[in-house]
Every structure is written in structure tokens, then in C-alpha cells.
Amino acid sequence: MRTIRHPHHKDRLEEYVKGLIEGIYTLKQVSGFTGYTVQHLCTLKHKYKQRGIAAFINGHKGKPVKKAVPEKTRKQIIQIYREDFEGFNFLFFQKCLKEFHNIRLSYKTIYNILSSEKIESPEKHRRQKQKPVHRPRFRREQGGEMVQMDATPYRWFSWCGDNTYYALHGAIDDAEEKITGLYMTENECSYGYYDVLEQTAKNFGIPADIYTDRSSIFCVTPKDRDKMTVQEQLAGLHEKRTQWQRILDELRINQILAWSPQAKGRVERLWRTIQGRLPWYFRKYGIKNPEEANKFLKEKYIHIFNAEFAIKREKNSIWRKPPENLKQILCSKFRRRCNSAGIISFQGYRFQVKAPGCSCRDIELCVFHNGIKARMDGTDYDVVLQDDIQDGIDERMSNATKNIIYQYMYADTKKISA
């Protein structure tokens, strides 16, 4: 590759051009002296013969720049950033200027305008020491081959004074870099991942692989693998499995567990992008709690993100059609045996199963995010807590039911065993 040389000895350029005309120097010699190309020197030589010393004066010198940003627009850009985008990166600011203010300028122009006012990008990179470079994992070739899932705690509503950390659960397709689902809850919990998986299945399909970390929801620690219940041993299992692993088995999804955050870098970079943009959308649309956020995420933000960042691949995607009983699969299941009166015991509470002919039979107790059901012969039946104690007047769900649902759906997965 040709080495790029910057022009030098500009103060002696006239002398060299005269030497060219008089035959003292060759074009190759002057090119070596000055750094100008032979083609440019030929142009200068021709201009000098016609115009003399004026050949070296830039024709734009002293003239106003036609494409200069008007001072009014510059002030408007600076004002908008300081009022609405303080702390957000310049690339996102450029996108919003175009989308919401109809100001269409290049990233470099906006960067120069803000930098002239001593405004620095929050993502300005500092020079770091050289580290050994690890070869990145190749991106999958087809959509639906692999989905990466994770959750991130963040102060999403700090703009309105709420400094609580809420966990945003999400999934991103490894090949096409599309968000397939987002859901926000109080903690990183089972239901957050169940809902994201349900969104993925409904909007795209069932993926072949799911790549996650080693949180207690996704796998059992080595010391607990052999602590199986009698029911699990009778079912032929060789090691303890989590509810999540049971769901993946039923949906025929292969599980891949990462040993480090860098291994699932796609979803880790997703969080960096979302944390730098989503709070601004919450402030713009007045969203102040997870309930409103989940509605906005599903109806708008996933489409906004995918329209900007999704990648088109040459090969067709391989998403599989979800089963019709998807909702029945996405729950926490526990095998219990009814006594002669159709009553089961679970977590220290006694429940009456409202199913015909259930006495002395095995049932599956299914814990959903909004209630508990007993499944027998493929049909779900209601269960009623014995000695029901309710919160107050007109309460339909007992304290015991709420506690069980919270434990298996909404409790922090880092603080309890799966």
C-alpha cells in the first residue's frame, strides 16, 4: 500500500515550481521534496504559467462557507442538548434531532458544535493499555439459531426522582441482532424470563439455542445437582433440574451456559445501548413505573430499536412455530399426590383441588404469575386454600397464594434457590 505523505516545504513551493518550468528539477524530484503528487504539481505548473503567484492562493480564501451551519441553528442545538439530552451520547442525540426536530446534520458537525461549547460525550473513550486480543465468537448465520438472554438492574426512572433499581429482562437474536423481547420487574426473576420467552415465541418463534449466564434460574449449582426429590428420581432424572431447564426441554431448546459476561457480548452490548437511550424515552413519554414501561417496551421500543440496529442476513431464519399450549408450559410445575379428600400440601399450606375424581391421584401444581392451578389429564383446575386468610374485604387472592406466586415468579433469583 502506498505511504501517504503530507505536503511540506510550502514556503519554497514557488521556487520548486519555477525550477520545474526551467528544467532544473524533475516532477519526481519535486514530488519527493514537497510531498505533492505528480498530477498536482502538473496542475500547479500550468496555473503558475498563467497566473503567477496567484496560483498558490486558495480560491475560497476570504469567502463565506456556503454549507456553514447558521448561528441560530447552532444555538438551538446547544440549547436542546443542555435541556433534554444532558448525559446522553452524541450519536443518539443526532438521531433525535433528525426525528423530533427535523435538524439533519452529520455526526461530525454535531460533535464539533457541542465540543466548541466544552460539552463532552459521556461515552468519550480514554486511551487504555494494550491488552491481549481475544478472538470474538462468530455470529450465527440464520435468525433463530441462537438467542442470548440476560437481565440488567438500572435506575430507569431517576429523571423523576425514583432512584430504585429495576431489572430489565431481555433477549436478542445472535444472527440478526433483533430484540425479541423485553420485560421489566422489581428483581431479576423467573417471570421476567418467562415473559421474554413468550414474547420471543409469539413474535418470532422458538429458537434452536438459548445462551445465558449461570444464574440460579438457569442451572443448579454443582453441590445441589444430586439433591433430587423422590419424584425426580422416579421420573428417571440423573441430576436436579431447574424450572427453566424443564421449560427448555418441553420446547426442545438447547441450553448454552456462559462462563463469563464477555462470552455473551451481544446482549451485554445491548444493555449499554439501552441504558444510554431508554431513560430519555421514558422522560419524553412520561413513563414513571414498570407497568407503564412494559406496555411501552412491547408496543413501541422494540420496533424502534430493531428498525435502527437489526441486520439482514442472506440465509432465511429457522424460527420454529410455538406450540398451542405455550402458556401452560411457561409456569413453575410441582408434582403432588392428592389424599382421599382431594387435598394436597404445598409450602406448608393445604389446598383443595377442584377436579372430579382427583382423590389419591397425582397432579401437577402449576404456579402462574396470576394464580395457581392443578393440572390433571391435561386440564387445569382451580385450587382453594384451606382455612383461607385474606388481606381484607373483597380480596380474592389469599396471602398464602400471593406468597407462593411471589416466591416462584417474582423473587430475586440471586437470593433464593431455583
Side-chain angles (χ1 to χ4, degrees):
M1 187 175 70
R2 182 175 66 86
T3 303
I4 298 175
R5 295 177 297 175
H6 297 283
H8 48 273
H9 297 303
K10 292 183 179 181
D11 53 336
R12 299 183 60 188
L13 185 58
E14 185 181 1
E15 175 188 339
Y16 290 133
V17 173
K18 282 183 178 180
L20 279 175
I21 295 172
E22 296 172 1
I24 300 174
Y25 305 115
T26 65
L27 285 168
K28 188 174 181 180
Q29 287 174 331
V30 176
S31 177
F33 296 153
T34 62
Y36 286 107
T37 63
V38 171
Q39 290 84 352
H40 186 63
L41 288 172
C42 289
T43 303
L44 285 177
K45 179 180 173 182
H46 179 70
K47 286 183 178 180
Y48 187 77
K49 287 180 180 179
Q50 292 181 334
R51 299 160 52 190
I53 191 68
F56 304 113
I57 300 174
N58 192 320
H60 296 286
K61 188 174 182 179
K63 295 181 179 180
V65 181
K66 293 182 179 179
K67 294 185 178 180
V69 179
E71 187 62 25
K72 182 180 179 181
T73 305
R74 289 173 61 89
K75 290 181 178 179
Q76 183 185 3
I77 290 171
I78 295 168
Q79 182 182 359
I80 292 172
Y81 185 84
R82 283 178 169 164
E83 291 180 355
D84 297 332
F85 291 89
E86 193 75 43
F88 292 92
N89 69 72
F90 293 174
L91 189 63
F92 176 59
F93 179 54
Q94 179 205 10
K95 172 182 178 292
C96 291
L97 281 179
K98 177 181 177 182
E99 185 175 348
F100 298 103
H101 299 277
N102 199 28
I103 298 177
R104 302 169 184 270
L105 295 174
S106 68
Y107 173 80
K108 186 64 177 178
T109 302
I110 293 173
Y111 180 90
N112 290 337
I113 291 172
L114 296 176
S115 298
S116 66
E117 294 295 316
K118 309 297 183 185
I119 300 174
E120 290 189 351
S121 172
E123 294 190 2
K124 186 177 182 181
H125 295 288
R126 294 182 179 180
R127 195 167 186 174
Q128 298 180 349
K129 294 181 179 179
Q130 290 289 339
K131 295 181 180 179
V133 178
H134 297 278
R135 188 183 71 178
R137 179 183 56 78
F138 291 108
R139 188 191 296 272
R140 294 293 180 94
E141 294 183 354
Q142 295 174 276
E145 272 195 72
M146 184 171 75
V147 167
Q148 295 189 19
M149 297 184 75
D150 196 21
T152 180
Y154 195 71
R155 294 182 298 180
W156 303 101
F157 310 108
S158 58
W159 62 272
C160 62
D162 184 358
N163 291 318
T164 306
Y165 282 82
Y166 294 99
L168 180 62
H169 304 70
I172 185 169
D173 182 72
D174 188 74
E176 299 178 343
E177 207 151 329
K178 290 181 178 179
I179 291 179
T180 60
L182 289 173
Y183 194 80
M184 186 180 295
T185 58
E186 178 184 355
N187 309 302
E188 181 180 354
C189 61
S190 300
Y191 182 67
Y193 289 110
Y194 292 176
D195 194 278
V196 168
L197 183 55
E198 183 178 1
Q199 290 180 54
T200 301
K202 287 185 175 181
N203 298 332
F204 297 90
I206 302 295
D209 300 334
I210 286 185
Y211 204 175
T212 65
D213 58 21
R214 292 176 176 267
S215 172
S216 61
I217 182 179
F218 300 123
C219 63
V220 180
T221 57
K223 66 178 181 179
D224 294 330
R225 283 179 183 170
D226 299 328
K227 297 179 180 178
M228 292 185 293
T229 63
V230 175
Q231 291 85 353
E232 289 171 336
Q233 293 177 21
L234 292 174
L237 296 178
H238 299 288
E239 63 179 32
K240 192 173 183 63
R241 308 276 283 171
T242 65
Q243 292 291 334
W244 178 259
Q245 290 172 317
R246 187 266 308 162
I247 290 172
L248 295 191
D249 286 345
E250 290 192 35
L251 295 175
R252 294 181 290 113
I253 300 174
N254 180 46
Q255 182 184 39
I256 304 175
L257 298 173
W259 286 99
S260 67
Q262 292 80 3
K264 50 183 180 63
R266 203 87 60 208
V267 72
E268 296 293 343
R269 287 188 290 274
L270 167 68
W271 295 141
R272 180 178 175 179
T273 302
I274 289 182
Q275 288 173 4
R277 298 183 175 214
L278 192 56
W280 183 87
Y281 283 102
F282 287 164
R283 183 173 64 183
K284 177 175 175 58
Y285 294 106
I287 297 171
K288 299 180 180 180
N289 55 62
E291 291 74 23
E292 295 174 357
N294 286 326
K295 184 178 180 181
F296 171 75
L297 291 170
K298 292 179 181 180
E299 294 179 358
K300 291 186 178 181
Y301 187 73
I302 292 177
H303 302 291
I304 292 172
F305 182 94
N306 290 343
E308 183 175 0
F309 294 103
I311 299 171
K312 290 185 178 180
R313 304 307 298 267
E314 294 181 359
K315 296 184 178 180
N316 294 330
S317 59
I318 57 169
W319 298 99
R320 289 182 287 117
K321 186 178 178 180
E324 295 181 359
N325 64 336
L326 180 64
K327 283 189 174 292
Q328 293 182 324
I329 295 174
L330 297 175
C331 65
S332 296
K333 296 181 181 179
F334 306 91
R335 294 192 67 84
R336 290 294 184 272
R337 188 172 184 83
C338 298
N339 64 12
S340 57
I343 295 175
I344 60 171
S345 178
F346 185 72
Q347 292 296 315
Y349 301 104
R350 298 167 67 245
F351 292 91
Q352 174 74 53
V353 178
K354 295 296 184 179
C358 66
S359 51
C360 300
R361 290 190 59 182
D362 291 331
I363 59 100
E364 275 187 339
L365 193 68
C366 302
V367 181
F368 297 91
H369 74 283
N370 56 357
I372 302 176
K373 297 287 185 180
R375 185 168 299 162
M376 190 176 71
D377 298 331
T379 304
D380 288 347
Y381 298 94
D382 293 331
V383 295
V384 179
L385 181 70
Q386 299 295 98
D387 304 323
D388 195 0
I389 301 175
Q390 298 180 343
D391 288 340
I393 300 173
D394 294 332
E395 282 286 344
R396 294 184 178 181
M397 191 179 294
S398 67
N399 283 328
T401 305
K402 290 179 181 178
N403 292 338
I404 292 172
I405 292 173
Y406 184 85
Q407 179 179 352
Y408 290 103
M409 285 293 177
Y410 296 103
D412 191 340
T413 57
K414 289 183 171 57
K415 296 180 180 180
I416 65 169
S417 172

